[in-house]
Every structure is written in structure tokens, then in C-alpha cells.
Amino acid sequence: ETGVTQTPRHLVMGMTNKKSLKCEQHLGHNAMYWYKQSAKKPLELMFVYSLEERVENNSVPSRFSPECPNSSHLFLHLHTLQPEDSALYLCASSQAHRADYGYTFGSGTRLTVV
Amino acid sequence: AQKVTQAQTEISVVEKEDVTLDCVYETRDTTYYLFWYKQPPSGELVFLIRRNSFDEQNEISGRYSWNFQKSTSSFNFTITASQVVDSAVYFCALSERVTGQAGTALIFGKGTTLSVSS
């Protein structure tokens, strides 16, 4: 069983809806990440949180809003999305804000925007 | 410019064949780490190996082996005697310093989809 849990596994939402993706890790890591995986594209790093503070925002549209209430939980709040936002959203964590030891990934949320 | 290039988009082999997945990277850092991850249909990325830039020894783990060559900036992955369960998307990744930040982030290639048929 993965140490990083993402819910829901699948989500279908209309363009006017508001929904949230949840990520939880029980590994004692203090950095968490959101990645977007679209078809035929590399994984795109969206947000980085280190010690509950956002340290990176890779020009992500404001319709995506992250939240990290504590070092174990990470949310991605979604509103007024576009069909091109349909993708697999992956959460990951690491011991510190360093990729040197790799990340532990969750199974992802498959998002479909209709 | 793409930092991590996996030129093979899809590879199909028959069980028991050997297959090599190519990875070429680009970085200005002298200290860096390279990774391979496997993504089965279930979606999660599974860590396979980490290699630091100072260790060019090849590594073997069961049917998996990795060939790291700094001279050609390549970190290739070979599966010997492939099995149907090896079917997945395989990603090569590079850890790189983030501009303006103290930390590093994983930069992924586009992945290679491996299909192994029986």
C-alpha cells in the first residue's frame, strides 16, 4: 500500500463546478508536490510545498488553488476548469524539498472536465 | 530545451525478449541524481532506481539493469527476459536545482510505454 493516498481516484466535473482533490501522506515527509500528467506530455510540476509553505508555483492558472494545512495533507481546489484541464493529477512527497532521494507518489486522481 | 529525453515513445516486445529503454539528460549541475520510475495502469509512479552523478557503476537488480554514462549523458534501462507484468510506462527523471530556490525538483521525460505480449 502506497504511503501517499489520493482521493478521489476518479472525478468528473462540469466547467462551473467547484471540487477539491485531497492528498495525504504518513511518511513523515515535509515536502509535498502536485504534478499534472496529460496525454503525450511530460509530467508537469504544478506546486511545491515545503514545511507547509508554498515555495513554487509554475505559472499555474488561478483556477487551480493549492492548500497545505499541515505537513501530512495537501489539497488542490478546482473551480471553473476547462476541458483541457482533464488529466491525471499526481501528488508526491519527499523528506525535504530536495529531489535527491526521489519522491513517493500517490495513485493519482483522474479528472475529466465536461 | 528538454532536460530529459526519452526518444522511444512506445516499444512492443514478446515475452522473454530483452529490451532497453533510452534516456538522455541535460544539466549544468555537477552534482545531480537520475531516476527511473515505473507507472503501471493503476497510475502511481513506482520508484525503481536512483543514481548520483559521481557513481558511474552499472547496477543490476534481478532482471533490471542500468547503464549510466556521463560522457554521453545517458542513463539507459534494460529489462532482461521481459514479462507481461513489465508492461507499463517508464519514466526517466533528473533532480535539478530550482532557480531561485534552495531545493531541487524532479524533471521527468515524456515516458516510454512498454508493451510485453505473451
Side-chain angles (χ1 to χ4, degrees):
Chain A
E1 182 181 313
T2 179
V4 178
T5 303
Q6 289 187 245
T7 54
R9 291 297 308 274
H10 301 273
L11 177 63
V12 179
M13 61 185 287
M15 288 190 283
T16 58
N17 291 159
K18 287 185 181 181
K19 296 285 184 183
S20 296
L21 310 185
K22 179 181 176 182
C23 176
E24 190 172 352
Q25 58 95 4
H26 301 286
L27 301 168
H29 291 169
N30 54 31
M32 297 185 77
Y33 311 83
W34 280 115
Y35 277 86
K36 175 183 178 183
Q37 185 179 21
S38 306
K40 310 295 183 187
K41 283 184 164 184
L43 278 81
E44 301 169 62
L45 179 63
M46 300 176 72
F47 299 105
V48 179
Y49 274 83
S50 177
L51 297 172
E52 300 155 41
E53 287 192 22
R54 189 192 309 183
V55 296
E56 186 167 342
N57 175 348
N58 277 350
S59 303
V60 179
S62 59
R63 56 186 184 269
F64 295 92
S65 173
E67 179 191 1
C68 187
N70 55 63
S71 60
S72 298
H73 293 86
L74 184 65
F75 294 89
L76 188 62
H77 304 299
L78 316 171
H79 63 98
T80 58
L81 294 192
Q82 305 298 312
E84 61 263 29
D85 296 322
S86 298
L88 180 68
Y89 288 84
L90 289 160
C91 174
S93 69
S94 63
Q95 281 186 318
H97 179 203
R98 291 191 65 82
D100 300 354
Y101 291 91
Y103 299 163
T104 301
F105 283 86
S107 297
T109 295
R110 175 72 62 187
L111 173 68
T112 304
V113 181
V114 297
Chain B
Q2 196 169 347
K3 302 280 188 174
V4 180
T5 302
Q6 294 180 255
Q8 304 146 309
T9 306
E10 295 181 13
I11 301 176
S12 294
V13 299
V14 178
E15 255 191 327
K16 298 183 184 175
E17 282 187 35
D18 299 346
V19 59
T20 295
L21 310 181
D22 298 333
C23 174
V24 175
Y25 63 92
E26 177 188 331
T27 182
R28 295 179 186 172
D29 291 347
T30 53
T31 302
Y32 53 90
Y33 291 82
L34 295 161
F35 301 81
W36 277 94
Y37 280 85
K38 174 182 180 179
Q39 186 178 39
S42 53
E44 81 277 14
L45 273 77
V46 178
F47 168 84
L48 295 178
I49 190 172
R50 176 182 76 117
R51 171 67 68 212
N52 77 53
S53 53
F54 296 107
D55 182 2
E56 287 193 70
Q57 275 196 324
N58 290 333
E59 181 156 341
I60 298 174
S61 176
R63 295 184 297 108
Y64 294 170
S65 62
W66 291 270
N67 183 349
F68 175 33
Q69 301 219 343
K70 270 177 100 166
S71 59
T72 56
S73 296
S74 66
F75 187 42
N76 296 338
F77 173 31
T78 298
I79 301 175
T80 303
S82 59
Q83 299 176 1
V84 172
V85 295
D86 296 327
S87 297
V89 183
Y90 290 87
F91 291 94
C92 181
L94 165 73
S95 75
E96 189 175 66
R97 277 177 298 170
V98 178
T99 302
Q101 300 291 340
T104 58
L106 274 185
I107 308 299
F108 287 86
K110 289 188 178 182
T112 297
T113 300
L114 175 64
S115 298
V116 182
S117 57
S118 57

